[in-house]
Structure formats: C-alpha cells, structure tokens
Amino acid sequence: MDKKRYEEGLAVRRAVLGPDHVDTSLGTADDFTRPMQELVTEYCWGEIWSRPGLDHRTRSFIVLAMLTALNRPHEIRLHVRGALNNGLTKEELMEVFMQCAIYCGIPAGMEAMRIAKQVFAEIEGEK
C-alpha cells in the first residue's frame, strides 16, 4: 500500500462522505472486508478523487449519474450526502436524476429520486 496515497484518500473520503461514515466503515472492517476498504480508500479516494483535473463537486455529478445507471441504491444514498457536502443543491441533484431517467431509463431515475428524497428527510431529521 502507498501510505501517502492512502492518507490523502482518507482525508478526501472523510471530507466528502463525512468522518462518521468513514470511521464506521474502517472501524467495522474485518479480515475479509479490510482489504476492500483499503483499496477503496487508496485508489478511489486517494488516486482518483484526489486528482486535480476535476473538483469534488463535478466528481459528485459524475458519480451519481454512474451509480444511477448501474442501479446501486446503497451507493446512491451515500453519494447524495457526499454531493450535498460538495455543494450540490437539491435542484441540481434533481437535474442529474432527470437526465439519467432519459439516458438510463425511467425506473433508474425514479429510484434515484426516491433515494435522494429519503436522504433529504434523514438530514432534516438530524437537524
């Protein structure tokens, strides 16, 4: 493992997804899941999300569109929170999912909208 890239990834992952989520993911990792957590932190967050070519806000747009296309509800939920942390508005998230509905299918767009609405309600309840 490249320790520097891992530490950079850990900082970005915490900034985008929130320290509670990241610390729980890493803290509950066991011998089976720890290698995946390390891989994700080092390469996804340390190598890709840390690149200078796109800001985190733009990366959030892209990730949400891809997750919607792939029908990954758990990850959509997580990345809606991350997108809000990166400054996207509810209106912009709606536009991402509307665009996805046309290019990926109405059910995919509808599911992403439902998930986002649940996340918004959870966040409101946390306040």
Side-chain angles (χ1 to χ4, degrees):
M1 177 186 340
D2 182 322
K3 192 71 171 162
K4 181 178 184 285
R5 184 170 41 218
Y6 179 87
E7 292 300 324
E8 288 174 359
L10 188 57
V12 173
R13 190 176 181 192
R14 281 188 171 126
V16 174
L17 302 179
D20 291 343
H21 169 78
V22 175
D23 293 345
T24 298
S25 294
L26 296 174
T28 59
D30 57 21
D31 290 342
F32 181 72
T33 60
R34 188 172 298 105
M36 182 64 79
Q37 288 295 321
E38 291 170 351
L39 177 79
V40 166
T41 302
E42 182 178 354
Y43 288 99
C44 177
W45 298 100
E47 182 67 26
I48 300 304
W49 275 79
S50 296
R51 292 176 57 83
L54 297 172
D55 60 22
H56 291 168
R57 193 171 186 284
T58 302
R59 290 185 191 280
S60 282
F61 274 115
I62 294 166
V63 168
L64 282 171
M66 290 187 292
L67 292 173
T68 299
L70 293 169
N71 190 23
R72 299 296 189 257
H74 174 80
E75 294 293 320
I76 292 169
R77 173 179 299 284
L78 181 62
H79 280 277
V80 164
R81 283 182 177 266
L84 293 168
N85 290 340
N86 285 333
L88 274 72
T89 65
K90 288 181 180 182
E91 292 76 20
E92 290 170 321
L93 291 172
M94 178 191 65
E95 292 299 331
V96 170
F97 301 138
M98 295 284 289
Q99 183 94 10
C100 289
I102 297 305
Y103 285 92
C104 304
I106 297 296
M110 293 290 292
E111 179 67 9
M113 294 281 276
R114 275 191 290 277
I115 292 166
K117 190 173 177 182
Q118 291 169 356
V119 172
F120 300 155
E122 290 168 7
I123 291 170
E124 286 300 315
E126 293 169 4
K127 292 180 181 179

